[in-house]
Amino acid sequence: MIVELTGEQLTVAETQLRSYLPRAHQVYGCLVLRNRVQSEPAKFLVDTWPKFNVIIYKPQREQKGDHFKDMLFFANDEATLAEALRNSSVIDWTSFLCVGIDLRHAEIIKAVASEKDVPSKELAMCHMMILEDVSKLSPIDSSGISLSSLDESHLDLVNKNWKFGSSDVARRMIGNMIRNFPSCCVLDAEGKPVSWILTYAACSIGMLYTLPEHRGKGYAKAVVSTMAKRFHALDYPVYCFIEEKNKISYNLFKTLGFTEHPSHRETWLSFNDINECV
């Protein structure tokens, strides 16, 4: 049986997931934001309540092409996870699907997809970097740097420079992030952003970018450090995902005091061809 959480149950689930960090960071982060700020609609599903072995974050697609709205899973029991994946109320296997999941569970979801003759593709494999103690954050001299938050006038700039951006779909997602979640940027003398970082729906910081002509000035370290301190003050988890091939970002976050959970990898998988399903 699949149960949708509502009201006070969402707060209880957040508390319960804290004991499963860092493995539960993604769904936990979604609950943290859901319980505190306005965001786009989503469901939180569990196999049983009040104790559960599987919890699922299922964003609601409001428009065709909302393919950046990833489903996220946390599971303590693989058999229960497989059963949930086969449930039609959880996944519509006829449509495009993007899933973020612990690497150790990736073979389960691929096996269920194979049962249903649904093709799968690996989109990314990431390190999870965590700042467990904000006092270990490397000191950053931000004197002389104009720090601010992003606003909607900056949306097109961010979209244009994101590696998956430049589309209306990405623009909608980034707009939601800017409107509802914390962000930080460095402004130049004309008040235009030259370096920035945002917050994803899972409460992970990311989309870090500095315009090429402004690199080497410590701006990336300044925005990451500022966001980390802000998250700590809000009692948000301070973490991010970095693609395995992105050595520059990996080294940057490591220098700042973030550490990698040695046994954890997060992978993003897509199912069905988006061009056939949207």
Side-chain angles (χ1 to χ4, degrees), residues 203-221:
C203 205
S204 57
I205 58 176
M207 220 174 279
L208 176 65
Y209 189 81
T210 302
L211 296 176
E213 62 270 28
H214 291 276
R215 292 173 185 171
K217 301 177 182 179
Y219 291 168
K221 289 182 178 179

Side-chain angles (χ1 to χ4, degrees), residues 101-107 122 125 244 264-267:
I101 196 166
D102 186 332
L103 178 60
R104 74 190 77 191
H105 300 320
E107 292 306 316
E122 182 180 291
M125 184 78 70
E244 289 193 330
H264 186 90
R265 287 286 189 282
E266 198 79 11
T267 185

Side-chain angles (χ1 to χ4, degrees), residues 128-147:
M128 183 167 64
M129 306 291 288
I130 306 167
L131 186 66
E132 302 209 15
D133 184 350
V134 75
S135 68
K136 294 181 180 178
L137 188 67
S138 298
I140 300 297
D141 181 10
S142 58
S143 59
I145 297 177
S146 178
L147 292 166

Side-chain angles (χ1 to χ4, degrees), residues 125-130 239-247 250 259-261 264-268:
M125 184 78 70
C126 295
H127 302 281
M128 183 167 64
M129 306 291 288
I130 306 167
Y239 77 112
C240 66
F241 291 103
I242 298 174
E243 289 187 76
E244 289 193 330
K245 60 185 178 183
N246 191 345
K247 301 300 182 184
Y250 181 88
T259 57
E260 179 186 3
H261 192 269
H264 186 90
R265 287 286 189 282
E266 198 79 11
T267 185
W268 274 260

Side-chain angles (χ1 to χ4, degrees), residues 4 26-27 30 34 39-45 55-63 66-73 89-92 95-100 173 176 181 200-202 268:
E4 180 181 354
Q26 287 230 83
V27 179
C30 290
R34 165 61 180 76
S39 184
E40 294 187 336
K43 295 180 179 180
F44 290 85
L45 309 173
I55 182 167
I56 302 157
Y57 167 75
K58 184 178 181 179
Q60 301 303 289
R61 291 185 177 176
E62 298 177 310
Q63 302 182 48
D66 276 347
H67 55 266
F68 286 117
K69 293 185 175 181
D70 307 340
M71 286 187 70
L72 305 172
F73 294 81
S89 68
V90 174
I91 292 182
D92 174 7
S95 64
F96 174 80
L97 174 69
C98 185
V99 168
M173 185 191 78
N176 177 60
F181 306 150
Y200 288 106
W268 274 260

Side-chain angles (χ1 to χ4, degrees), residues 110 187 251 258 272:
K110 287 192 284 189
L187 302 176
N251 291 333
F258 285 70
N272 287 308

Side-chain angles (χ1 to χ4, degrees), residues 154-178:
H154 307 138
L155 200 164
D156 289 328
L157 176 66
V158 176
N159 186 27
K160 179 177 70 174
N161 288 289
W162 186 40
K163 66 180 291 186
F164 300 112
S166 300
S167 70
D168 288 340
V169 179
R171 194 177 188 279
R172 287 199 301 272
M173 185 191 78
I174 294 168
N176 177 60
M177 294 164 71
I178 289 175

